[in-house]
Amino acid sequence: MHPLIIPLFIPHAGCPHACLYCNQRLTARETDDLPRPEQIRATVREWLRRSPGRSAEVAFFGGSFTLLPRERQERLLDAVQPLVDAGQLSGIRISTRPDGLDEAALAFLRDYRVRTVEIGVQSLDDEVLQRAGRGHRAAESCAAIGRVAGAGFHTGAQLLPGLPGDTPERSLASLAGVIGAGAQFVRIYPALVLTGTGLAQLHATGGWQPPSLDATVRLCARMLLLAAKAGIPVIRLGLQSDEGLVAGETVLAGPWHPALGQLARGELYFLLVCALAGGLAGAPEQVFCHPRRIADVVGHARRNLVRWHQRGLAVQRVLADAGLAPDELVVQSCGHRMSGSILTTLNDEEML
Ligand code: SF4
């Protein structure tokens, strides 16, 4: 089981930048104040109480942790050291910018037993980075990933496909680039137009249109496939829905959906059934999948069943088969069966 990740937001703290798309205060619903040590410990204990016996890591997200004044980093990390000593926390995670990860910063994090470092890469295309006002280039991100991974940290990269100047090909190249640089996991947050951001102004004046939800689902499906083929987990796809992220209020435009991850995973199973159906004499009546994948195969709001019917594929039932791997499906028609896997049957070149 994956460790429980206990998020502690330090929005915008330590960050001297103003990226075009960023409104950390809004998405994290916090103030500029850092959480106090007793608040941190109380939050951790409450999460642990709700998930007894589960391995847990505390995560300082938002802002740019290593760009905080050192004394403030110490205060945050000191607060959780007793919980690490007591075995209540198995690790500490932080997120930060690529240009906040020099050797001194890494030595400091190691001293405080930080295990996981998530790097806000967003894109590996210099034009996209420049238009987003990131203030660093792609080469710095790749170097930071290599340095962090080389220093023994569990290393993640956050990507933001769909920014101005981005294309599906550039997003895929960014994903391939962070994997090639040594990222061990990724998070994918398609760009959204949030209130109070430069992107909102650009959008309001007609200077840019975000990609559609359908196009984003297709792109994210392909990114999932590329990562899966490389053996790299995508631990998050899309911003979480919470009270601070409301379509039409805080999210002005862009491909936001509360179940974006399921839509993208469902797209892969949709395409796999279509591909396998071509090898059957008749339309597939039944589809078998791993028990934990039924919801993804059926699709959000039964979307895949509807789309298969529109294509003349009259899938009647999706059934569990514990003998199948999560990436595998079997389709059946009149006693004939075809099996395949997302990883080996789908051709990611043909998916956009
Ligand atoms: S570096 Fe991060 S916190 Fe700072 S403005 Fe950019 S996205 Fe926001």
Side-chain angles (χ1 to χ4, degrees):
M1 186 184 289
H2 296 301
L4 176 69
I5 297 177
I6 303 173
L8 293 164
F9 288 99
I10 49 165
H12 224 77
C15 183
H17 296 272
C19 299
L20 188 70
Y21 54 85
C22 175
N23 191 334
Q24 285 278 355
R25 289 180 186 84
L26 195 64
T27 52
R29 291 182 293 122
E30 297 275 348
T31 70
D32 277 344
D33 295 333
L34 293 181
R36 295 193 306 279
E38 56 274 21
Q39 285 178 313
I40 291 173
R41 287 192 285 269
T43 301
V44 170
R45 290 197 174 105
E46 177 56 21
W47 277 72
L48 293 175
R49 190 186 64 74
R50 281 190 260 144
S51 300
R54 191 159 164 203
S55 168
E57 298 185 354
V58 72
F60 293 103
F61 285 150
S64 298
F65 190 90
T66 55
L67 297 181
L68 282 167
R70 185 56 64 83
E71 161 279 310
R72 302 189 106 202
Q73 294 181 55
E74 287 170 350
R75 198 177 349 137
L76 292 167
L77 293 172
D78 275 334
V80 293
Q81 297 301 307
L83 301 170
V84 177
D85 288 335
Q88 291 175 290
L89 290 176
S90 58
I92 303 170
R93 311 167 79 99
I94 61 110
S95 67
T96 194
R97 288 172 53 93
D99 48 6
L101 288 164
D102 60 16
E103 296 293 350
L106 295 182
F108 170 80
L109 295 175
R110 197 182 303 108
D111 286 347
Y112 272 92
R113 298 185 286 182
V114 171
R115 279 197 6 195
T116 303
V117 176
E118 297 195 22
I119 306 170
V121 172
Q122 323 312 10
S123 172
L124 286 182
D125 186 277
D126 281 335
E127 182 197 336
V128 174
L129 292 173
Q130 190 266 330
R131 288 178 67 175
R134 286 288 296 173
H136 65 81
R137 297 172 71 88
E140 285 177 74
S141 298
C142 291
I145 293 170
R147 211 162 39 244
V148 172
F153 292 94
H154 192 218
T155 307
Q158 299 174 1
L159 293 170
L160 219 86
L163 286 167
D166 204 7
T167 63
E169 290 72 22
R170 287 178 170 182
S171 295
L172 290 161
S174 295
L175 176 59
V178 299
I179 292 172
Q184 293 150 316
F185 66 92
V186 294
R187 292 178 189 261
I188 300 170
Y189 297 112
L192 299 175
V193 182
L194 303 181
T195 50
T197 62
L199 201 54
Q201 286 177 1
L202 190 64
H203 180 252
T205 56
W208 172 76
Q209 279 295 324
S212 69
L213 178 62
D214 278 350
T216 300
V217 168
R218 287 196 298 276
L219 170 62
C220 289
R222 195 164 163 192
M223 293 176 85
L224 287 180
L225 181 58
L226 197 160
K229 285 186 173 183
I232 299 298
V234 177
I235 67 166
R236 181 75 210 166
L237 178 51
L239 280 174
Q240 281 180 317
S241 79
D242 67 6
E243 291 164 24
L245 199 65
V246 181
E249 294 180 27
T250 50
V251 181
L252 297 176
W256 186 73
H257 191 286
L260 185 65
Q262 189 186 31
L263 288 175
R265 291 190 301 275
E267 182 72 12
L268 293 173
Y269 291 111
F270 172 77
L271 293 171
L272 182 55
V273 168
C274 292
L276 294 176
L280 292 171
E285 295 147 2
Q286 295 179 328
V287 174
F288 298 88
C289 67
H290 187 277
R292 286 205 314 272
R293 291 294 179 261
I294 287 184
D296 290 339
V297 176
V298 170
H300 183 71
R302 303 173 69 79
R303 159 187 164 99
N304 284 351
L305 293 179
V306 172
R307 292 197 298 160
W308 286 322
H309 275 72
Q310 288 168 345
R311 289 199 176 198
L313 304 176
V315 174
Q316 302 296 326
R317 286 187 294 179
V318 175
L319 300 167
D321 181 342
L324 293 172
D327 57 291
E328 291 176 330
L329 290 182
V330 171
V331 295
Q332 180 172 305
S333 172
C334 303
H336 292 104
R337 292 163 71 92
M338 285 285 297
S339 61
S341 155
I342 282 172
L343 295 177
T344 55
T345 307
L346 293 183
N347 179 354
D348 59 311
E349 300 293 321
E350 298 170 356
M351 281 177 52
L352 282 177

